[in-house]
Amino acid sequence: MSVTMRDGHYAPPDMPVRVCSHPDCSTLVRGGFSCMLHRHHTDAELRIIEKTYVRPDWDVYFTGIAQAVAARADCRRTRFGAVIVDTRHRVVATGYNGSPPGGKSCLAGECPRALKSADEVPHGSPDYSDCIALHAETNAIANADAERCDGATIYIVNADGPAYPPCDMCAKLCAAAGIARVVW
């Protein structure tokens, strides 16, 4: 025999159907619980309700955003992301390493530097003369509102390995843009 509850839900034949445990109630319930009117939270339910979350600080938060931005990078060697944040903790601009819009694609094999081996171009080599990409910091600064960069922070992330400080040229661009703090 199947029973349809007052709330309109169907109770399968193998599920126990009982009367609400509240002394003044005759509502049929499934699985031994009290009816919705008289239901009390169990200890496990209260633990879920009382679950607390720790909010990340601003540096952790914006570093995470820079990590997501790095996923858009157009480079075979390494993926960097950058986020510029103003003094009110608002995102000013983002950038990732890659060629200028509409340019050649490193991922498509059009960058001579990316086609070379690690022996030919060791990591950190300062010679970018044959690279088609702009650095993440450069792209972020190029896309930023100059007035909002005054006193700003830039977050830089290497999605493929350890973090590095900006190269000399990007450090100069950050200073020229008015960026006061660099986090990597």
Side-chain angles (χ1 to χ4, degrees):
M1 175 178 127
S2 66
V3 177
T4 302
M5 303 292 134
R6 273 193 201 167
D7 62 5
H9 290 95
Y10 168 76
D14 59 340
M15 181 176 273
V17 178
R18 300 188 175 97
V19 175
C20 175
S21 59
H22 191 272
D24 298 328
C25 186
S26 60
T27 303
L28 294 175
V29 295
R30 282 173 257 142
F33 293 110
S34 299
C35 71
M36 293 306 290
L37 181 64
H38 298 109
R39 186 172 184 196
H40 299 285
H41 293 292
T42 65
D43 287 342
E45 290 169 328
L46 287 175
R47 279 194 295 277
I48 292 170
I49 291 169
E50 294 172 0
K51 186 173 182 177
T52 58
Y53 295 92
V54 177
R55 292 177 70 192
D57 65 27
W58 290 115
D59 286 348
V60 171
Y61 175 70
F62 288 118
T63 300
I65 293 173
Q67 183 76 29
V69 171
R72 291 280 308 152
D74 183 30
C75 181
R76 289 179 170 211
R77 295 179 67 89
T78 191
R79 298 172 301 151
F80 280 88
V83 177
I84 300 173
V85 179
D86 67 17
T87 56
R88 294 177 36 228
H89 303 292
R90 304 292 186 265
V91 174
V92 174
T94 64
Y96 49 85
N97 57 321
S99 61
K104 295 180 177 182
S105 169
C106 182
L107 293 178
E110 298 171 327
C111 178
R113 185 173 198 263
L115 297 175
K116 294 179 180 177
S117 70
D119 292 334
E120 293 174 290
V121 182
H123 186 76
S125 172
D127 180 18
Y128 287 93
S129 59
D130 58 348
C131 180
I132 64 171
L134 298 172
H135 286 188
E137 305 93 316
T138 303
N139 276 322
I141 292 168
N143 292 316
D145 176 12
E147 290 178 12
R148 292 182 61 203
C149 286
D150 191 34
T153 299
I154 188 166
Y155 295 86
I156 306 164
V157 171
N158 176 359
D160 299 317
Y164 296 102
C167 70
D168 288 342
M169 182 56 72
C170 287
K172 291 175 190 176
L173 285 172
C174 288
I179 294 171
R181 184 169 171 253
V182 178
V183 177
W184 72 87

